Amino acid sequence: MTSDARLAATLAEQAGQLLLRLQADSGLTGKELGKRGDSESNALLLRELAAQRPDDAVLSEESADSPARLSHDRVWIIDPLDGTREYGLTGRTDWAVHVALWQRGSGGSGEITDAAVAQPALEAVYASDDVHAGPAAERAVILVSDSRPPQFAPAVASAVGAELRPMGSAGAKAMAVVRGEAAAYLHAGGQWEWDSAAPVGVAAAAGLHASRVDGSPLVYNSAHPYLPDLLICRRELAAPLLAAIAAAHSDSYGGNR
């Protein structure tokens, strides 16, 4: 049987190729292209997971949630098209496909054990069983949402001598940190589990730090799958960044996505 990490990588790549074909051949643009991409990528991932892992549950951005997943020991958490807006814009590469597997441990709690993020426009797939962090760039860059960056991000960047840079897709931002193109990805003000599960799984496998912005663990397969904030960064920056975030929060909290 194909390993879970290899399956995640294969499915993310297949969905990414489908999305590239839609861009090239559908004649759609903007919101209509994004809507079609969300739907068709989701259908592909659900179909393949049902065929290859029929006993597992699935939590997807594009499907109705079921409380039945809470009793499963294996739950796939997927975002069929992360960065739908960017996908619909000509020339944008900062969109991704997320496929992650959460597994319950012997103590009852669980974690992301296998994950893949595909960036089809970059012809890249990053998987938890074969990923290494790239060398750090000379200039420290903190990536934030290009539409709703955290209000405290400028203070954090100033405290650690970094430059803020906007980018779409959570997966695209996280993989830029994995490649070494950025030192950190900082988010606050609202996300769902499918936004971060696969990026966190890949980043952690690459040896990076991943946590909530207060340093607490990221918990997945919750009854309400909402994770409002996230920090992914190089390990040597985790302590100074968390301290800078805490200081910025003490002055004025107001994170936005």
Side-chain angles (χ1 to χ4, degrees):
M1 180 184 289
T2 303
S3 72
D4 291 320
R6 280 298 90 202
L7 178 60
T10 298
L11 296 187
E13 182 174 20
Q14 289 178 353
Q17 291 303 309
L18 178 152
L19 290 165
L20 288 175
R21 290 194 298 272
L22 275 178
Q23 275 189 328
D25 302 334
S26 68
L28 300 174
T29 58
K31 291 182 179 179
E32 289 303 312
L33 176 61
K35 183 178 180 180
R36 176 90 169 267
D38 276 326
S39 176
E40 294 201 13
S41 180
N42 189 56
L44 182 154
L45 294 174
L46 293 181
R47 181 176 66 248
E48 292 300 319
L49 286 171
Q52 300 193 49
R53 298 292 191 271
D55 296 328
D56 295 354
V58 180
L59 171 63
S60 171
E61 179 181 17
E62 301 303 325
S63 298
D65 190 13
S66 169
R69 67 177 166 80
L70 299 175
S71 62
H72 280 253
D73 292 335
R74 291 168 52 92
V75 180
W76 293 88
I77 303 175
I78 64 173
D79 191 339
L81 174 52
D82 185 62
T84 304
R85 181 178 69 89
E86 289 78 14
Y87 172 70
L89 298 173
T90 302
R92 293 291 290 262
T93 62
D94 49 345
W95 51 276
V97 178
H98 299 175
V99 181
L101 175 63
W102 174 94
Q103 294 195 69
R104 194 184 313 277
S106 57
S109 60
E111 63 180 353
I112 302 301
T113 57
D114 304 271
V117 175
Q119 286 193 262
L122 299 182
E123 300 182 347
V125 180
Y126 305 88
S128 57
D129 65 343
D130 183 27
V131 64
H132 306 280
E138 283 189 24
R139 173 65 171 162
V141 172
I142 298 176
L143 297 173
V144 293
S145 169
D146 66 352
S147 57
R148 288 171 289 177
Q151 291 181 7
F152 58 82
V156 172
S158 176
V160 299
E163 166 193 348
L164 285 181
R165 187 176 300 167
M167 185 181 286
S169 171
K173 290 191 281 286
M175 294 309 100
V177 180
V178 168
R179 290 192 298 270
E181 296 168 5
Y185 162 31
L186 175 61
H187 175 81
Q191 268 188 347
W192 299 91
E193 290 186 13
W194 47 76
D195 291 311
S196 66
V200 163
V202 173
L208 301 179
H209 169 90
S211 72
R212 299 281 303 274
V213 296
D214 63 359
S216 62
L218 294 151
V219 178
Y220 293 94
N221 197 37
S222 299
H224 183 51
Y226 181 69
L227 275 173
D229 50 61
L230 172 67
L231 173 66
I232 294 175
C233 66
R234 302 186 72 87
R235 286 200 172 273
E236 65 270 21
L237 288 176
L241 279 171
L242 289 169
I245 292 167
H249 274 210
S250 69
D251 291 338
S252 62
Y253 177 78
N256 292 310
R257 188 173 189 274

